[in-house]
Amino acid sequence: MSLFRKSLASFGIGAAKVDTILPHDVLIPGQPLPIEVRVQGGATEQQIDNIHLVLCCRYLDEVTTGRGDSDQRKEKIPQTCKLAEWSLPEAFVIGAQEERQFAFTLDLPFNTPVTIGDAQVWLDTSLDIAMAVDPKDKDTLTVRPEPLMDGVFTALEQVGLRIRQVECEAAKGFALPFVQEFEFVPVSGPFHGRWRELEVVAYRDEQGLQLWFEVDRRLKGVSGMLAGFLGRGELKRELQISADCSPEAAGEQVVAFLDETT
């Protein structure tokens, strides 16, 4: 193969390509994620040192912007969080126009954000090629609630609560640099007229589902639950649901807890 073609491949022209195939359109946190990575050779033979995958999501962080002291203000700026990383340390040579496939299974982390509202989750795949532009592939993922959280959402909907807003925002004290906050409003049922809104933050691990709630009865001026996570006091309403609990029982437990404590 000519030196010219090898030089072009080093700049990404006629180089190997990578494509990640996900057999399932909808993913559930905590469940296995089967993945197939296809590597297609380019115009010339190339050495592939590694295949690297990164599961990412978007969250908002409040940062101070502005150049002068009098012009500084706080803005919510999108940030990228690496939820998990995997590498396939299998160096190999891909021939010209050759195709190779790698099939494996990964675990989707429990606290991968549910893709509702502005939440974004994606998988970056890249080939590590020495002295060359690394080929990349980006796949946007659709993530739905894991069973316990789904049972909670279903129960809240059945008593007349509707999701109004979902945000991933920076927060301290958690394994990840953010939490996903779900904001509900009562449109009917027993909480209509009692509450202005309900904010829910969830954290899932092997032991179960931990939930924090904040109910706002005021007609105006809401500070938001995240104030508690950011140092303005502990949240008072907290509930732990065991991993052994069924989704239906989890929902019933949450509704009863909110009715008794609010």
Side-chain angles (χ1 to χ4, degrees), residues 104-126:
F104 53 98
T105 301
L106 309 174
D107 290 328
L108 194 67
F110 267 127
N111 292 290
T112 301
V114 178
T115 51
I116 305 175
D118 294 335
Q120 299 176 17
V121 178
W122 65 93
L123 182 67
D124 280 334
T125 307
S126 62

Side-chain angles (χ1 to χ4, degrees), residues 216-227:
D216 180 27
R217 301 189 186 91
R218 295 171 292 177
L219 297 179
K220 60 181 179 179
V222 56
S223 61
M225 177 185 290
L226 287 177

